[in-house]
Amino acid sequence: MSGKDYTEMWKGLGLNLENHAGLLGVLSKTYKDIYLNQKNRPRAMDYFDFVISEVHGLRIEEILNAKKTGRKVVGAFCVYVPEEIVLAADGVCRCGCAGAEVGSDQAEKFIPRNTCALIKAFMGFKLSGLCPYVESTDLIVGETTCDGKKKAYESLNDITGKVYVMEIPHMKTAEDRKLWLSEVKRFRDRMEELSGKKITVEALKKAAGVVNAKRKALQRLSRLRAAAPAPISGLDALLVNQVSFYDDPLRFTEMTNRLCDELEERVARKNGMAEKGAPRILISGSPMAIPNWKLHAIVEGSGAVAVGEESCIGERNHRDLLDESFSSMDEAMDKLASRYLGIDCACFTPNNERFDNIKTLTKSLKADGVIHYALQFCTPYMMEAYRAEKAVAGTPFLRIETDYSMEDFGQLQTRVEAFLEQIKG
Ligand code: SF4
Ligand code: SF4
């Protein structure tokens, strides 16, 4: 990881230094084994390697410096939290990691053992005193998406005292839209109160431009993955999507566009990451928060290439832009509410848009097969696997339920290999 010594900064944040050193050691080794062993990576991935090496170093230093100037730091665990509102209040927005098996024993004192790994992880990271992001956050914004998260936020608030929850409806009727619009406005008011700054239409316009530019860069990356041969590995593309939740948005956009420039050259020269004829796989389902690289490592380690993620760390996060053509606060709130209510999370019923999107992506990315990935105990995504399979009938489809532990790595590898043989056959 980083060469600079950040011990004093971590101490100041109250981290458990012993646990923290252990976490960084594991992260660094896993990253080296999985990422740095890839061949023929785009040169522009250097930047993303650097971000990972500084994920608890330079980036935290930047966030703490922003705090010293009076800016507020807002954390979230869901793509439903409108980043534009945070930026318009001059805040810093970032999403929690929650992608590693950490502090499960302590988390299980507050939540049942049979809870999805993502929820266990955000509780575990806090309880183990490991995460400098959680510790530097002024407000943690939760949401009422799935039942597990909704109830876990109550405990997280008992522990941190800084959780604010947005109510997400579970249908998309006219009445639900009204409720969600009022929630977006309530969040705007909360951000004004937290920051002591009035959110103006101009500030929202500027924020919309910043966040849309980030989305456009990610959309560009997605489109480039449709090329055959794929110019970038799924592992690298997943990493870029994961980093989008942490990095400074302007710098991230610039670096992602720089990567896309290089990928365009690769496409023109037919310089691919995978072997010729490697099966192209769309991965669909629960989000893969950093540093959850397990399934991609298995798929690509077995000779296939992941060409897309129909996930919140992927398409669901950047597919839709915010309509920037607003000129009043009411219009801005309305457009924000519409943009975010368009997200096709499995917590909604019905959720037909998601199945249409899986079908469209399978076609546009020329996927030879779909792997449906659900975190164990994530009922919404486990339930939707059936309809997802039906939506792409005729395309080989594999359902996987797993968590963050490496215990089932070998078993999953065997299943993925058999699936790839089926595709080749
Ligand atoms: S899957 Fe649903 S609950 Fe999870 S981050 Fe995405 S929108 Fe939020
Ligand atoms: S992965 Fe599933 S169970 Fe876990 S927080 Fe997201 S929606 Fe809830």
Side-chain angles (χ1 to χ4, degrees):
M1 305 303 284
S2 164
K4 190 171 162 187
D5 185 0
Y6 288 102
T7 311
E8 287 309 311
M9 179 174 82
W10 294 327
K11 262 194 211 163
L13 286 169
L15 297 191
N16 177 324
L17 293 184
E18 199 181 320
N19 287 352
H20 186 247
L23 172 76
L24 289 191
V26 172
L27 179 63
S28 168
K29 178 165 183 341
T30 312
Y31 192 71
K32 211 167 142 210
D33 291 349
I34 293 181
Y35 274 92
L36 304 184
N37 272 333
Q38 296 182 89
K39 294 195 180 74
N40 193 23
R41 292 178 82 204
R43 287 181 314 277
M45 283 308 296
D46 284 1
Y47 172 71
F48 299 93
D49 289 337
F50 171 73
V51 173
I52 288 299
S53 72
E54 289 291 343
V55 74
H56 280 196
L58 188 63
R59 184 63 188 132
I60 297 296
E61 199 171 59
E62 285 179 352
I63 287 176
L64 294 179
N65 286 339
K67 272 171 83 94
K68 279 184 201 151
T69 66
R71 296 179 70 190
K72 298 295 177 190
V73 180
V74 175
F77 294 102
C78 178
V79 295
Y80 251 89
V81 178
E83 185 176 355
E84 292 87 346
I85 293 184
V86 179
L87 298 187
D90 198 25
V92 178
C93 190
R94 43 144 302 268
C95 267
C97 293
E101 194 179 33
V102 159
S104 300
D105 291 352
Q106 293 180 68
E108 283 170 18
K109 288 180 192 150
F110 292 84
I111 55 179
R113 175 172 286 236
N114 293 350
T115 303
C116 99
L118 191 142
I119 299 173
K120 258 193 209 170
F122 73 64
M123 294 294 286
F125 268 92
K126 169 64 200 161
L127 292 162
S128 317
L130 282 174
C131 182
Y133 290 94
V134 172
E135 301 311 329
S136 55
T137 296
D138 296 294
L139 188 74
I140 298 173
V141 185
E143 17 56 51
T144 58
T145 43
C146 67
D147 286 351
K149 261 182 168 177
K150 186 161 75 186
K151 300 312 286 180
Y153 288 132
E154 293 172 11
S155 299
L156 191 63
N157 192 46
D158 288 348
I159 303 161
T160 63
K162 44 187 180 186
V163 178
Y164 168 89
V165 176
M166 295 184 81
E167 182 168 355
I168 314 274
H170 286 170
M171 293 179 78
K172 295 183 181 177
T173 64
E175 288 308 308
D176 294 311
R177 283 178 191 276
K178 268 192 221 157
L179 164 73
W180 174 238
L181 175 61
S182 70
E183 280 299 284
V184 172
K185 289 180 179 168
R186 189 169 69 91
F187 180 52
R188 173 203 56 195
D189 297 346
R190 181 69 186 92
M191 279 308 303
E192 287 185 343
E193 184 191 30
L194 179 75
S195 64
K197 290 174 185 144
K198 187 87 190 143
I199 294 180
T200 61
V201 175
E202 291 68 36
L204 279 168
K205 268 203 179 290
K206 191 172 165 209
V210 170
V211 184
N212 271 348
K214 179 164 70 165
R215 291 181 185 125
K216 283 179 194 165
L218 288 165
Q219 288 174 353
R220 192 177 162 207
L221 174 62
S222 286
R223 282 194 301 271
L224 283 160
R225 295 170 75 190
I232 184 168
S233 68
L235 272 165
D236 278 338
L238 173 66
L239 183 71
V240 174
N241 277 282
Q242 290 172 331
V243 166
S244 73
F245 289 91
Y246 296 86
D247 204 2
D248 173 80
L250 293 174
R251 184 176 54 206
F252 173 85
T253 302
E254 187 191 332
M255 293 302 176
T256 302
N257 278 320
R258 196 181 71 162
L259 170 67
C260 291
D261 292 343
E262 186 182 342
L263 297 186
E264 274 169 8
E265 284 169 27
R266 283 187 164 223
V267 171
R269 284 187 279 115
K270 291 211 171 295
N271 179 4
M273 263 302 284
E275 299 287 322
K276 199 165 177 270
R280 301 167 61 89
I281 304 297
L282 171 68
I283 296 182
S284 167
S286 304
M288 292 172 173
I290 206 165
N292 178 6
W293 304 306
K294 183 164 108 174
L295 184 56
H296 281 63
I298 291 173
V299 167
E300 299 200 326
S302 306
V305 57
V307 289
E309 291 78 36
E310 187 279 319
S311 155
C312 286
I313 315 285
E315 295 290 327
R316 236 177 279 136
N317 178 43
H318 58 70
R319 182 176 46 233
D320 298 322
L321 300 179
L322 171 66
D323 179 354
E324 295 177 46
S325 66
F326 51 83
S327 49
S328 68
M329 184 53 75
D330 278 350
E331 269 180 15
M333 293 294 110
D334 202 53
K335 292 197 184 297
L336 270 167
S338 297
R339 189 269 163 202
Y340 281 88
L341 200 60
I343 297 171
D344 50 345
C345 173
C347 297
F348 282 87
T349 183
N351 194 28
N352 298 329
E353 306 95 293
R354 177 169 174 237
F355 308 117
D356 293 341
N357 284 325
I358 295 173
K359 207 166 152 181
T360 306
L361 275 176
T362 305
K363 209 167 158 199
S364 64
L365 295 172
K366 304 178 201 82
D368 301 307
V370 176
I371 298 186
H372 193 276
Y373 164 84
L375 280 172
Q376 256 163 22
F377 311 117
C378 170
T379 311
Y381 283 93
M382 282 160 60
M383 289 281 188
E384 285 200 346
Y386 162 75
R387 296 192 69 207
E389 182 164 7
K390 218 167 102 187
V392 291
T395 304
F397 191 95
L398 177 69
R399 294 185 200 191
I400 280 183
E401 285 162 25
T402 184
D403 57 16
Y404 297 158
S405 91
M406 289 295 158
E407 277 172 22
D408 61 351
F409 195 95
Q411 189 206 13
L412 288 180
Q413 202 168 27
T414 308
R415 289 186 61 205
V416 168
E417 281 168 4
F419 180 61
L420 298 179
E421 284 308 314
Q422 179 199 338
I423 290 175
K424 286 180 197 160

